Amino acid sequence: MARNIKYLAVHCTATSQTTSISAIQSYWQKQLGWKMPGYHFIIKPDGELVQLLPIEQVSNGVQGFNSQIINISYIGGVDQNNKPVDNRTPAQKATLLKKLKELKVKYPLAKIQGHRDFPNVHKACPSFDAIKEYKDV
């Protein structure tokens, strides 16, 4: 069954940029007990886009909204003291923009926003203003 996609949610992993995708997946499974990944797509520092889940399936990106979201994240988003920082590489910025444009063609009514822009979210994720940055996408 097709999902009604209302949002394209932008995330950061809130990890160091050297964190591996397998370590992130292991955290979701072992620490959080999730059966599904947190994102549909994850972007490595070199700009490589990795799909973790088909968009037809629901990921664990934003509590209470997941059935209506495609979740896309970049690896990073915090400094060495775990403080929020926009440390996207130029390659990550380019890949993120390209993927959001592709998804917007498929889901023209979907709103692009950061994890922090959803109700009752108390985190800085994705460590930049996604609504402002992608308002023209």
Side-chain angles (χ1 to χ4, degrees), residues 58-106:
V58 177
S59 64
N60 278 322
V62 182
Q63 194 170 7
F65 290 88
N66 289 316
S67 64
Q68 311 168 341
I69 295 181
I70 294 173
N71 291 294
I72 181 167
S73 182
Y74 69 96
I75 296 178
V78 293
D79 66 16
Q80 54 272 44
N81 300 313
N82 261 0
K83 298 279 180 258
V85 62
D86 181 4
N87 56 7
R88 291 173 294 163
T89 64
Q92 282 174 316
K93 286 184 179 184
T95 300
L96 185 55
L97 181 60
K98 180 173 180 258
K99 190 65 197 176
L100 288 171
K101 284 179 174 174
E102 287 171 9
L103 291 168
K104 195 73 170 153
V105 169
K106 192 168 181 183

Side-chain angles (χ1 to χ4, degrees), residues 7 18 29-30 35 45 50-51 53 57 60-61 70 74 88 116 119 122 127 129 131-133:
Y7 301 97
T18 56
Q29 291 162 351
K30 293 186 172 75
K35 299 205 178 357
V50 178
Q51 185 160 1
L53 191 69
Q57 295 180 26
N60 278 322
I70 294 173
Y74 69 96
R88 291 173 294 163
R116 70 182 190 185
H122 306 290
S127 301
D129 187 344
I131 292 175
K132 186 172 160 206
E133 182 155 335

Side-chain angles (χ1 to χ4, degrees), residues 38-57:
Y39 321 117
H40 293 92
F41 302 98
I42 196 164
I43 304 169
K44 293 157 93 171
D46 66 1
E48 181 189 347
L49 181 81
V50 178
Q51 185 160 1
L52 301 180
L53 191 69
I55 56 177
E56 295 74 31
Q57 295 180 26

